[in-house]
Amino acid sequence: MEDAVFQQFALILVCFLLFSLQCSFGADTIETPEKSNFKIDGKVFVTSSKDKDWVSNTRVLVEGGKYRGFLRNDGSFSVNGLPSGSFLVEIANPAFLFEPLRVDITSAGKMRARKVNLLQPTKLQTVQYPLEFRERAKASYFQQREQWRLTDFLFNPMVLTMVLPLLLIMVLPKMMNAADPETRKEMQQQMNVLNTKPNMPDMSEMITNYLSGGKKAVKSKASSKRKS
Amino acid sequence: MASFRITQTAIFLSIFFIVQGLYEDQAGTYDWKQDYVGKVTHVHWDTSSHGGSGKKLFVATHLNTVASLNSHDGSIAWRQVAEEDSRGRIDTLLYNGNYMIGVQAGGKFVRSWHTPTGNLHWETFLAADQDMIAPAIFLNEDKDSVLVATAGTLTCLKTSDGKTEWEAALPDGDTVQRWYLSLRANGDIAAVGVSPGLRVTVVTVGPGGKVKAPRKLPAQWVQSDTSCQAVAGEGFVCYTPDTSALQFLSIQDGQVFKATPMSELGFSATRDTSLGAVSTQPGVSSPLVLLRVSRTHMALLSVSPTGVSVLRDLPKVEAADVAYEGEAKVLLTVQRADPETVEFTGVELTSMTEQTDVSQRISILAGHGSIDKIFPMLFTKKKDGKLGAKVMMVAQDYSLHCAHKAGKAPWRREEALAYILSVEMVDLPVSENEAKFEDEFGSSKDDILAMLVKRIKVQVSQLHGFVEHLVQRLVGHRHHHSIVSKNDAGDADIDDDSDDDELVRDAFSLHKMIVAVTAAGKVYGMRSHNGKITWQHFFPDLAPFTGQGQEKLLLFVQRTTAHFPHAPQCAVIGVSRKTGNGLVFAFNPVTGAMVTDLPPAGLDLGYKVLQAQLMNDHPDENFLKGVLLVDSDVKVHFFPASMKSVVEREGRNMFVHLTNPESGLMKGYWLTPRGQELVAENVWNIDLQGNQQKVTGVYVKRSNEHVHSQGRVLGDRSVLYKYLNPNLVVVIGEGEEASASTVSKGPSGFFNVYLVDAVTGHIVFHENHKRTRGPVSVVHSENWVVYSFYSEKHRRCEVAVLELYEGKEQSNATAFSSLTPPFSPLVLRQSYIFPVPIARMFPTITEKGITSKNLIMVLKVGGVLSLPKALLDPRRPSIPSQETMEEGTIPYIPELPVSTENFINYNLSMFNVRGIHTAPAGLESTSLVLVYGLDIFYTQVMPSKMFDVLKEDFDYFFIAGVLAIMILVSVMSQKLAARKALKRAWQ
């Protein structure tokens, strides 16, 4: 959406550019100390909010608050008592974000508003004056908290990598069972070869022994009885 | 478009960084914000007909703020903050039902505010001198016109739309510094202008703007700050402290000032003697004026065309004013009844009888100093038709007290907290039990049995404490959070639920005591987790150091809480209002108890303090760190004085450096013993060319900072060692030069960055930035320096970083010595575009310095941004390669990302921020941040995420459930397997 707006703007801006080239400003105009009283007019629009609460907590900051403006009920503002120079005009509101604009005022009082381009400060993209600020977006200060969903869990790559070997372990032996005992023997032999350290005590075995220690004794008794 | 790119880069960077934002439900759990308005100068009670009167208070303050307060609890209904400098200063505030009119910056701006919402109604710009104070009055009772006197003009504006009705040129516009306006009985306007050191100009202006007969009277004694009042269009009264006399001039036909000595009136003048205006009804003038003889003595004077007479002597009275209701005209006075209460008295002025309905007693502790001003409002009670009074008071310590309803406790706003100058966060002491525990290990004299008994005792008491804690948890934990404390009769400073809030350290030492020193001379102790004030002290004589338009008060933690049984100690150093000498206070930062061996009014040092620093390396046998003070004759002193012997005994080299910002001269001194004295001997000088640039800041590293790693591992597994010089200081000199190029019109600014070794005076590094403008804010930490400035050439805010490295080999691995320094360090630098203007910067600090650092940046739009230092890394490559990937550096992008998700204050905008303070918590991951200015904001940041504790949203039930299921499954499967084995055995 933003892109579309940009393209529209760009078209309008090209027209503006042609005009503004005639009264080309040196990019280096610097505030002159002489006392002169210029003013910047503008209006702030917030279309997404119905109530007018935003007006009272919106501030107009010129040059980062060196000069400040206050909004009237209808959202318009004027910053009086400015010298000539180039000014960055920002709208500060805790709930909405606005694009800053730059206003150039010559010592003769000619005004020009343009977009702020930080990377190419000399590039000129004029916008209309009096300034119009429309909210660009709602300010999002917070992250979305992650919620636990079953599908998220199931399609997690970790889970998938776990499930596949599990399937292999469960299903393959079943398939093996169907085969004849000879191949099974062969398999067992292969397994024995793989198990290079047969004398190493198996950790899991030890734990199962430990956990079911009592039962084992009973079992062994039972088996000995059966023998006799 | 720029911000569009920001979002792009933000997305790009989020590949490298986990965005460290808050979750919405976390808002307010670790952070709090308190809003203030500043010292109140003008007050109007809401008298609009709808919704009952006296519900709101409209105030204008010394911090250029217009606000509306709810009168029942003191909360802010709305607030508008103007510019910080004289452009935003509020000279006069007039009130007219739904609108109020503020005159700002000497009449440059006349603004009308809509009182229910706080929106601007209209604004008129007048040609005016920003530095003078402009008066304004309503022309008549209907309040439809307002008169504003600027330097050369008297303007009449319509209150409905701000349009000019008429203008009248005032004489002596070039010399008059201040006009006094008052209405005459015949409807004329009397304007009296004061030209400091020259004369007084008297003009009467007719209702249509016709200037009549200006008179100029020589008056050499008059100054711009001379206390004067124009009374009822008849008389002009001034008080001259030199002759301690009242000067009276009749406006009608007076040709000379008539001096009346104070003694003639029966008073003796003091330092505080001044004149004060009496509130008037709009469009009507009153012939009364208040004379403050001293802080606790006032007098009501009556002014007639012939002279001044005392109408009523008001001994013991701290503040007084006249209030009106219908026909009644009541003089309200306030005086202290006892240390805990003040007494109100109302006197009907026409009959001079006491109005007992209005009189009441209100509890205000003597610790707030005397009452400076009262703003009363009279109303007729609906029940019985009797008069009632609501009173707002401003105390000497800037606190606001408001008795809004008879019989109810008044609320209080501690407005001094809008003037914080220095902050320290002090650990709370361990609990009594734990202290005993320490004690047990501490003593080695006891035999085994005694130790055993002790241990059992301690453990029983610990168990007892634990049970108590559990009971408390079950009963429920109360939280309340308001800056407006309702003080009940009695001691308001120790809060009601004190056992709930025992001053005991928590498990991770996240709760601290914030010690805040304010320009009002007030020192506060606040609990960091809820911002509640635990203790406060008001020192009426304490004033801040001033220089270069900045105010400073020094706060040192002389002994931390770690040295049980010694109590922690903090010292505040400022200037005495009485003598101008250094003034020292020392107190226990946890309890607020003053150190007993100092005088209660503070220790006057007897010399002017030029510099003071804490001697970190030289604690005495009681673990107390001394403060080294340098006086204006570059003599060295110590506080406490006994520290001198400690320094002499240890015999270590000490160096001091002083910088004169005006002359630009930096001097280094070495402290050497000469006879009995320690003398500062000049060892080096650096001339920073004060005629070309002003030294705007000298930045040292924080002394409590730890650097965990000595070097940095590069992609090829070699180590680049950091240049960690503890004596390195950063000096910033800002200046302007006449530009050589013809394109630019004015002079272009520049600034210089010097890295100076403070022991030897060696300039380690120097950088000049041309066509730039300050203010330069600097962060100096570890082996790096970050500074922000405004580039005039590119018209944008830029941030530069310098990192210093010794190289691949370390010259001295054990300790750094400035006297045998390594070869000149490798300085890596890079600069970035910062998309929004920066107000202040400060680095985070953690317990051991293992956690990576973030920069806390306060933006002028009101956000507080937490920016990872890794983004400000001069090793960020423009073309990433395998090796840089290995090193973990982020590819260079000219613009730094500013994402609103990194705003640690989310939507709580900060206004006019004066400073930032960070402190380590007991948890390595966490750093505590306090941002102060007009508002106070406190939060915790975790620059490397929370790596040492479980997240607070850790799902215990889920983990426990999974674990239970696993156990169940294993038991079941064992059973099944056993059965299967049995079956197989039978086969």
Side-chain angles (χ1 to χ4, degrees), chain B residues 301-489:
Chain B
L301 307 183
S302 172
V303 176
S304 66
T306 51
V308 184
S309 59
V310 178
L311 194 67
R312 200 177 167 92
D313 185 15
L314 305 165
K316 285 191 192 161
V317 166
E318 296 184 354
D321 202 358
V322 180
Y324 308 87
E325 166 71 16
E327 292 297 302
K329 198 169 149 194
V330 180
L331 172 76
L332 281 148
T333 57
V334 56
Q335 62 189 73
R336 188 153 285 287
D338 57 69
E340 279 176 10
T341 43
V342 292
E343 197 178 304
F344 262 100
T345 335
V347 175
E348 164 63 46
L349 274 180
T350 35
S351 60
M352 281 295 172
T353 48
E354 193 168 320
Q355 276 276 353
T356 44
D357 303 342
V358 181
S359 303
Q360 52 184 311
R361 287 167 85 94
I362 296 168
S363 67
I364 295 172
L365 293 182
H368 293 289
S370 64
I371 307 290
D372 260 4
K373 265 183 185 171
I374 61 168
F375 302 95
M377 193 199 78
L378 285 184
F379 61 96
T380 317
K381 283 177 192 157
K382 278 184 188 134
K383 280 188 292 187
D384 44 10
K386 278 184 181 168
L387 276 183
K390 297 184 178 194
V391 193
M392 162 110 135
M393 284 162 281
V394 182
Q396 202 182 351
D397 66 344
Y398 301 180
S399 60
L400 287 185
H401 303 261
C402 181
H404 57 99
K405 209 167 191 180
K408 267 201 171 178
W411 52 258
R412 179 178 92 223
R413 286 185 68 87
E414 292 288 348
E415 290 300 338
L417 282 169
Y419 296 83
I420 294 178
L421 294 180
S422 326
V423 170
E424 285 290 345
M425 291 197 209
V426 182
D427 279 327
L428 292 171
V430 290
S431 68
E432 211 179 315
N433 282 329
E434 278 171 72
K436 272 188 214 156
F437 210 66
E438 297 278 313
D439 191 37
E440 172 196 356
F441 290 115
S443 59
S444 50
K445 289 168 196 159
D446 296 344
D447 59 359
I448 293 170
L449 196 72
M451 274 171 86
L452 181 76
V453 170
K454 212 177 202 175
R455 181 159 197 158
I456 287 168
K457 263 188 192 166
V458 168
Q459 283 179 349
V460 165
S461 70
Q462 268 179 333
L463 189 73
H464 180 74
F466 177 69
V467 169
E468 263 187 1
H469 176 72
L470 274 186
V471 169
Q472 258 179 20
R473 283 280 291 270
L474 286 172
V475 168
H477 197 81
R478 273 179 303 155
H479 264 294
H480 65 111
H481 182 138
S482 77
I483 52 162
V484 184
S485 48
K486 297 191 168 78
N487 44 357
D488 304 316

Side-chain angles (χ1 to χ4, degrees), chain B residues 73-265:
Chain B
D73 61 354
S75 57
I76 296 173
W78 55 262
R79 185 177 71 167
Q80 295 285 9
V81 186
E83 290 90 342
E84 283 172 82
D85 56 356
S86 60
R87 205 183 140 90
R89 192 193 58 237
I90 299 159
D91 295 340
T92 316
L93 188 76
L94 299 173
Y95 170 70
N96 173 24
N98 273 336
Y99 298 100
M100 62 182 181
I101 295 161
V103 179
Q104 288 177 286
K108 247 187 175 178
F109 306 100
V110 184
R111 290 182 174 127
S112 172
W113 305 95
H114 186 223
T115 49
T117 59
N119 295 342
L120 189 68
H121 179 217
W122 51 259
E123 174 179 324
T124 302
F125 177 77
L126 302 173
D129 178 8
Q130 200 164 305
D131 296 324
M132 69 173 263
I133 290 169
I137 50 169
F138 282 121
L139 184 59
N140 47 35
E141 218 167 324
D142 305 332
K143 303 184 181 181
D144 51 7
S145 305
V146 61
L147 289 164
V148 181
T150 57
T153 335
L154 180 70
T155 317
C156 181
L157 301 169
K158 267 191 212 154
T159 45
S160 54
D161 56 2
K163 294 268 177 350
T164 308
E165 275 188 73
W166 51 262
E167 273 181 346
L170 293 172
D172 284 340
D174 47 343
T175 54
V176 169
Q177 278 295 308
R178 192 163 177 174
W179 285 100
Y180 291 89
L181 290 181
S182 97
L183 285 178
R184 292 175 63 87
N186 60 1
D188 284 0
I189 304 125
V192 183
V194 169
S195 308
L198 287 173
R199 62 182 162 267
V200 167
T201 313
V202 183
V203 189
T204 41
V205 183
K210 230 181 100 193
V211 179
K212 294 175 196 166
R215 268 179 295 137
K216 296 180 184 182
L217 306 160
Q220 264 90 33
W221 45 266
V222 76
Q223 294 302 324
S224 57
D225 57 346
T226 303
S227 167
C228 293
Q229 289 298 328
V231 189
E234 295 295 345
F236 182 67
V237 196
C238 287
Y239 171 73
T240 48
D242 306 340
T243 55
S244 58
L246 289 176
Q247 302 278 356
F248 173 78
L249 179 77
S250 167
I251 286 173
Q252 176 68 34
D253 51 4
Q255 294 298 330
V256 279
F257 276 93
K258 199 170 90 184
T260 316
M262 289 287 279
S263 50
E264 205 170 291
L265 297 169

Side-chain angles (χ1 to χ4, degrees), chain B residues 913-966:
Chain B
V913 171
R914 199 176 293 118
I916 309 167
H917 184 82
T918 55
L923 277 179
E924 171 57 29
S925 66
T926 311
S927 181
L928 311 174
V929 179
L930 184 85
V931 184
Y932 53 93
L934 184 56
D935 308 331
I936 305 176
F937 176 72
Y938 168 88
T939 191
Q940 306 173 1
V941 289
M942 282 146 269
S944 307
K945 299 288 264 183
M946 225 182 207
F947 58 78
D948 41 11
V949 275
L950 287 176
K951 272 192 210 164
E952 111 292 356
D953 62 341
F954 184 80
D955 205 337
Y956 293 94
F957 291 105
F958 179 71
I959 298 289
V962 166
L963 211 68
I965 290 167
M966 295 268 268

